[in-house]
Amino acid sequence: MSARTVDVVRGVVLPRPDGSLTSPQDVLLDGGRLRAVERSSHRRGGTVLDGGGRLVLPGFVDAHVHGGAAVLEPEVQHALLRQGITAIVTGADGVGYAPSDRTSAAWAGRYFAGIDGEHPRFDGGSVAELLAGYDGTIPVSVAALVPHGTLRRTVVGVDRRPATPAETATMVALARQGLADGAVGLSTGFEYVPAAWAHEDELRAVVAVAAEHGLPHVSHMRGYEDRAVPALEELLRLAAATGAATHVSHLHGPAAPIVALLDAARTAGTDVTFDSYPYLRGCSLLSMVALPTWLPLADPDATAAALDAPAHARRLRAHLDELAGLWPRVTLAWVPGLAPHEGDVAGRALVDVAARWGVPPSEAALRILRASRLRASCVFAQPPTGTAAAVRALANHPAHLAGSDAIYQPVGAAATEGRPHPRGWGAFARFLAEHVRGTGDWTWHDAAEHLSGRAARRFALAGRGRVAPGAVADLVLVDPDAVADRATYEAPRAPAFGIDDVLVAGQPVLAGGELTGARPGRGLWAAAATRPQERSPS
């Protein structure tokens, strides 16, 4: 199949709301959009993609992925498309590339070096400029959130203090401009600095901007697992104070109290949704899970220097010693900067590395943080409050939509460098394998909602999330009996199985399981009355 626009996807079945599947149908396309869905016929002309009886679903939308820079890499594009992901939402956790000045864009790349990394084509500017840089350069589409932490770094700097009224007003103005430039919401990261230092008046003022535009406030909460309930309560209070629709990033923790809070809030009229991934291990910066917040974490260089400061030695040692229960749950993912004699530690348990080095795990963690200048990342098992039953219960909630929270290796790093979490290669396929084919919790129609429709509506992605006349022709052909994830913690880069053909705006971007070289992806604007409507997909 060439990269030219397809006219007919022939002989596919579609899911119905009642859980059944249609008879074989032809999906007729015109100019990158769906024109009609009709009974299948072999007499149609034009460019035809043979569906071979496979299931056709709307292109999936990853609601939370650290891919704003990584998506430029072919390996990441392949990983996304093999799962059926045709659009991603970036800028989560309050840290992102735009809007920013050059200094703050560079800060975001350094602070989140092990999560997002530096963007090779963008060094500060507006959301509109960031989004325009994706147009016609990649096979998938990219939406962006306005990141509150980056706004705060731009306006307040890295000082641990409240914002002044004038500084808050400046952040509000920047947020308004970012949403006017097409951002699909505003993100906060209450566990990350400098956002963790923001006072309530600042948060209310900035979050209210999202409410003005009818777009969501997307938040990494102040805590998860045993801290999830009070953290969710904080978000719901902020929603009540501002009127903002609220979306919780990668929600996990004890299901019963979380579900009770969500249901009560929704019954009371609060617009709240969340995303989750189907794993019992997370991934983040080692500094985020290991270092105390009294260090100047918003300034990686200052924090790296503080690790060696004699004035902090006793206090830091006491903090690290209190984390004895954490170290056995930590596996190293990406560790740049170590000397050759220290070995390749990626994919190894921290306690094993410590034993090999002949030091306590806390000292091994410090050595890695120093050598990597806080860039190191890790995979960690959730505490006992995180259970398979809780993950399943949350995935079946009506407020749920899918997000991988994928963290890929930094742009430009070798494809084999590090041992990332497998969710970037398998989360969406795992959802399908477990919840449709496995437990039967979802029908295929439900799957299309969880993996596409709900995210498209939540982030105002016009024309996406459905297979219907007028919709953008982002289409995924699924082998319903075979689709599955193959990525594991030991081999995290194994591509998913059972999705071999994907269209974006009517163009084949994955054919026979391989990239075609077509680049119809683009920066996605939120479709709202206060902004220009979505541009043509062609």
Side-chain angles (χ1 to χ4, degrees):
M1 175 63 61
S2 71
R4 61 184 292 190
T5 301
V6 167
D7 299 305
V8 182
V9 181
R10 186 172 61 201
V12 292
V13 296
L14 286 74
R16 295 190 178 103
D18 65 3
S20 65
L21 301 177
T22 67
S23 61
Q25 303 287 305
D26 290 347
V27 179
L28 311 184
L29 311 181
D30 184 12
R33 290 187 179 267
L34 273 73
R35 179 166 59 84
V37 179
E38 300 177 354
R39 183 183 295 276
S40 189
S41 168
H42 286 275
R43 292 189 296 273
R44 302 191 191 278
T47 303
V48 177
L49 171 60
D50 186 1
R54 287 173 289 178
L55 187 70
V56 66
L57 297 178
F60 302 154
V61 180
D62 193 334
H64 184 121
V65 56
H66 295 282
V71 73
L72 302 174
E73 296 283 349
E75 183 209 2
V76 174
Q77 298 162 9
H78 188 250
L80 293 167
L81 291 169
R82 287 292 293 265
Q83 298 175 76
I85 298 167
T86 59
I88 63 174
V89 180
T90 64
D93 300 336
V95 180
Y97 301 115
S100 66
D101 56 23
R102 180 170 295 187
T103 301
S104 291
W107 167 83
R110 288 198 312 274
Y111 179 43
F112 263 27
I115 296 179
D116 286 315
E118 296 181 358
H119 197 299
R121 302 180 186 172
F122 185 83
D123 61 357
S126 69
V127 170
E129 290 168 328
L130 174 67
L131 293 176
Y134 295 113
D135 289 351
T137 66
I138 53 176
V140 300
S141 295
V142 181
L145 299 163
V146 171
H148 163 249
T150 303
L151 297 185
R152 197 173 209 274
R153 171 61 182 78
T154 301
V155 177
V156 182
V158 296
D159 296 340
R160 184 171 183 164
R161 63 171 176 82
T164 67
E167 289 168 338
T168 298
T170 301
M171 283 186 272
V172 165
L174 288 171
R176 283 199 179 108
Q177 187 60 54
L179 293 174
D181 282 344
V184 297
L186 180 138
S187 76
T188 56
F190 293 160
E191 273 197 306
Y192 294 103
V193 295
W197 302 333
H199 285 204
E200 187 173 347
D201 56 349
E202 173 189 334
L203 295 175
R204 287 189 179 190
V206 176
V207 170
V209 178
E212 292 172 9
H213 289 74
L215 292 169
H217 165 218
V218 180
S219 187
H220 178 121
M221 300 196 303
R222 211 172 291 275
Y224 291 85
E225 296 303 332
D226 59 340
R227 295 181 292 161
V229 170
L232 181 55
E233 289 173 335
E234 177 187 24
L235 279 190
L236 295 175
R237 288 193 300 270
L238 190 56
T242 62
T246 296
H247 181 81
V248 186
S249 294
H250 47 64
L251 184 56
H252 55 86
I258 289 174
V259 167
L261 267 178
L262 292 170
D263 289 347
R266 286 161 62 88
T267 298
T270 301
D271 184 357
V272 57
T273 56
F274 66 92
D275 61 73
S276 74
Y277 50 79
Y279 299 88
L280 291 177
R281 300 187 200 180
C283 183
S284 189
L285 298 170
L286 180 61
S287 61
M288 192 266 186
V289 301
L291 293 181
T293 55
W294 51 260
L295 286 170
L297 298 177
D299 185 338
D301 293 335
T303 302
L307 297 181
D308 294 320
H312 298 317
R314 181 176 296 179
R315 189 179 180 190
L316 181 58
R317 181 66 60 192
H319 169 82
L320 295 173
D321 287 345
E322 291 175 357
L323 301 179
L326 168 68
W327 307 130
R329 296 191 281 115
V330 172
T331 301
L332 300 167
W334 181 59
V335 185
L338 286 179
H341 72 272
E342 292 173 305
D344 182 4
V345 302
R348 297 179 66 92
L350 178 64
V351 293
D352 292 342
V353 172
R356 189 173 73 182
W357 289 352
V359 298
S362 58
E363 179 57 39
L366 270 180
R367 185 185 298 184
I368 289 166
L369 290 166
R370 289 190 187 103
S372 69
R373 299 194 65 79
L374 275 66
R375 293 176 295 165
S377 61
C378 65
V379 173
F380 52 89
Q382 303 292 1
T385 47
T387 65
V391 171
R392 180 181 177 185
L394 291 175
N396 284 309
H397 194 274
H400 171 269
L401 50 100
S404 68
D405 195 14
I407 297 173
Y408 299 99
Q409 77 281 350
V411 173
T416 56
E417 185 175 339
R419 188 78 66 82
H421 194 296
R423 61 196 183 190
W425 285 260
F428 277 59
R430 175 172 283 211
F431 271 126
L432 294 177
E434 290 188 351
H435 289 279
V436 184
R437 291 210 340 267
T439 62
D441 293 337
W442 299 352
T443 65
W444 285 107
H445 181 270
D446 295 333
E449 278 289 285
H450 282 269
L451 274 58
S452 183
R454 292 179 184 175
R457 293 191 296 272
R458 173 47 104 198
F459 297 106
L461 303 179
R464 289 172 169 80
R466 58 196 179 95
V467 180
V472 177
D474 291 357
L475 300 174
V476 177
L477 273 62
V478 180
D479 182 338
D481 297 321
V483 63
D485 64 305
R486 297 191 293 187
T488 65
Y489 293 107
E490 293 73 28
R493 293 182 172 86
F497 185 78
I499 295 175
D500 292 328
D501 290 279
V502 177
L503 306 183
V504 169
Q507 293 188 42
V509 290
L510 189 78
E514 300 299 329
L515 297 175
T516 65
R519 299 175 179 177
R522 46 186 295 224
L524 297 179
W525 287 52
T530 54
R531 279 175 305 286
Q533 292 297 304
E534 185 181 50
R535 298 161 288 171
S536 168
S538 60

